Amino acid sequence: MTFEGWTIFALFWVVFVTSPGPNAVNCIQNGMTHGFVKSLWGVLAILTQALLFLFLSAVGITALLTTSPTAFLIAKIIGAGFLIWLGIRAWFNARTPLEGHDVTSGSIYGRAFAISTINPKSVAGYLAAFSQFVMPDVPIAQQMWVIVPTALTITAASYVTYTALGAGLGRAAFSAIANAVVRRVLAVCFIVYGVALGASSLPGFSR
């Protein structure tokens, strides 16, 4: 992956993991309920899920590349379309209250892992995002040494921040991420990325 490609991927991943949703809400509520240090178990669960889904995405992309370049191209276009759909969905849901869940019992880790797994941005979202930045002429394993640390570092920074905001600011932090303007700005970012990445996948398009 070139430095330019890495920069684009890193910027995209920032948008991808900071969009307000179930993971962010759970991290803030964990921070409010359990304090910062104990709530880091929830962040660890999200990182576990991220690592698992990055691996599954890599396996899926490898299978597509092995099958045919055409299948990989189709996957990239479908993936870009899915990102656009996430953006449109987020735009229309911007004024919908973010649902929270009271933490009364059970494991913080297990609950956070379950929430991140059923998140609409889960397997399909990771595959869609991942497929846009993989170079077909470079072994997947080689690219994973760049993609995985970058994705996990940004993911950790995002949800540690949400957890800290919950511990420090409480409901003020929850109100901030629930703001319709903030959510719509991030929704537009998804749509713009999806359109740009989809266009770059088309034959004859030069980056």
Side-chain angles (χ1 to χ4, degrees), residues 32-113:
M32 291 168 58
T33 306
H34 303 294
F36 177 72
V37 175
K38 187 175 181 180
S39 298
L40 291 179
W41 282 103
V43 177
L44 180 61
I46 294 173
L47 291 175
T48 303
Q49 181 261 359
L51 182 61
L52 173 63
F53 282 9
L54 282 168
F55 173 76
L56 292 176
S57 298
V59 171
I61 294 300
T62 302
L64 287 175
L65 287 173
T66 302
T67 303
S68 81
T70 301
F72 178 64
L73 174 62
I74 293 173
K76 284 175 67 71
I77 295 173
I78 292 175
F82 184 81
L83 297 178
I84 294 172
W85 175 81
L86 282 177
I88 294 173
R89 180 178 179 275
W91 176 274
F92 285 107
N93 288 340
R95 293 189 177 278
T96 303
L98 290 170
E99 295 293 335
H101 303 273
D102 294 329
V103 178
T104 56
S105 62
S107 168
I108 295 175
Y109 180 93
R111 185 174 179 281
F113 185 85

Side-chain angles (χ1 to χ4, degrees), residues 102-190:
D102 294 329
V103 178
T104 56
S105 62
S107 168
I108 295 175
Y109 180 93
R111 185 174 179 281
F113 185 85
I115 289 173
S116 62
T117 300
I118 63 174
N119 189 336
K121 292 190 300 184
S122 291
V123 177
Y126 270 75
L127 184 59
F130 192 79
S131 65
Q132 306 303 317
F133 300 95
V134 169
M135 295 182 288
D137 55 341
V138 179
I140 294 291
Q142 182 178 331
Q143 298 180 69
M144 290 288 281
W145 285 107
V146 177
I147 290 175
V148 171
T150 300
L152 292 182
T153 299
I154 295 173
T155 301
S158 172
Y159 292 115
V160 166
T161 300
Y162 277 130
T163 302
L165 287 173
L169 300 179
R171 296 199 175 279
F174 187 87
S175 298
I177 71 162
N179 185 278
V181 174
V182 173
R183 294 167 72 186
R184 282 185 169 167
V185 167
L186 291 170
V188 170
C189 289
F190 265 113

